Each structure stands twice: as structure tokens, then as C-alpha cells.
Amino acid sequence: MKLEMSRKQFRRLLDMAYIGNWVLNSTRGDDRFADYDEVESLLFQKAKELGMDALTEYWRGQAVPSQAFAEGGIHEAIIDYENNVFFDILAEDLARRDMDDVPIDETNYQELASRIDAYITEFEQHGTDNILVDTENQ
């Protein structure tokens, strides 16, 4: 297979491969999806061959993203994504809870959307500062 791209495009591809592999494998411990690790390794090996030495290290004989790559801002993008997803999921879960977890259809979808929007507004203004959990009555 042959794929033509600029160095800048290839650098973006490295970012996307790293992010994708992080999402798939970062929480799996020893039960990783090895085929995704292999693809990531191939790309980082190619980066080394293209003179992007600072982006690649070797671990157990495999090309892997270097510490410099991992600490170069890519995790800030992952954290931004995780924060947004966290608040979106929390808002929907709380809204559904408030509606007693009834099935959502065209008759109550607007109510759900309105409740989600209210929670999102709260989180945008105050983060989790106003969330209270009663642990004494559990």
C-alpha cells in the first residue's frame, strides 16, 4: 500500500493514531488490543525513518510514542475531550434520573433536552461544585 501525504499530515496521523489507541487500550491493562498497538508501532517506526526521532522510542523492541510526544500536548486534547464527554454523560444521566428513567420518545424528548441543557449550563458555570451526594443514607 502506498499513501502520499505531507510531513504535517503524517504528524497529524500520528496524533490520531495515538489518541485512538489511547481510547481503546489505556484502561485495558494487560488485555490490550495488540493489533492497534502494532499499527501504532508501524506509524511511529515510520516517523523514526522520516527523521522524526524525538517522537519515537523503543520498548521491548517495538517503536512506541516517545515521552516527549506524549508530554507534548496530546494529553491536553484527550483531557478536553474526556471533560466534555464526562459532563455530557452526567447531564443526560441526571436528566433521565429526574424523569424517573422513563423511556424517551417524541412526547417527552423536549423535556429531556431541556433538563440536559439546564445541567450543562450549571456545569459550565460551576463545574461539579454544586453536586452533593448523600452518603449517610446509603
Side-chain angles (χ1 to χ4, degrees):
M1 174 196 283
K2 186 173 181 174
L3 178 64
E4 297 286 333
M5 63 178 59
S6 70
R7 288 177 67 84
K8 183 176 180 177
Q9 289 171 324
F10 181 71
R11 181 62 176 82
R12 298 298 178 255
L13 180 62
L14 291 174
D15 289 346
M16 291 188 310
Y18 181 86
I19 290 167
N21 200 23
W22 176 267
V23 168
L24 289 169
N25 278 323
S26 67
T27 62
R28 299 188 60 83
D30 291 334
D31 190 29
R32 295 175 66 87
F33 294 114
D35 49 342
Y36 288 92
D37 285 335
E38 290 171 18
V39 170
E40 182 185 70
S41 183
L42 286 171
L43 290 171
F44 278 87
Q45 178 61 46
K46 186 66 172 176
K48 180 81 169 174
E49 293 167 11
L50 292 173
M52 300 175 175
D53 296 0
L55 304 180
T56 304
E57 294 176 354
Y58 290 89
W59 185 71
R60 296 185 179 177
Q62 297 293 314
V64 296
S66 68
Q67 186 173 356
F69 175 88
E71 293 175 354
I74 197 70
H75 279 277
E76 284 79 6
I78 292 169
I79 289 167
D80 287 345
Y81 171 77
E82 289 173 341
N83 285 338
N84 286 325
V85 169
F86 168 77
F87 285 116
D88 288 347
I89 291 169
L90 181 59
E92 184 171 345
D93 284 353
L94 292 171
R96 287 177 180 272
R97 178 212 56 194
D98 293 350
M99 294 175 64
D100 298 321
D101 292 313
V102 298
I104 304 301
D105 59 26
E106 64 277 352
T107 65
N108 59 4
Y109 177 78
Q110 283 303 324
E111 179 183 355
L112 176 66
S114 177
R115 289 174 183 266
I116 291 171
D117 287 345
Y119 278 116
I120 293 294
T121 299
E122 170 63 25
F123 298 148
E124 286 172 349
Q125 293 174 359
H126 304 285
T128 57
D129 291 346
N130 293 331
I131 295 176
L132 302 173
V133 176
D134 183 1
T135 58
E136 292 182 22
N137 295 322
Q138 295 200 8

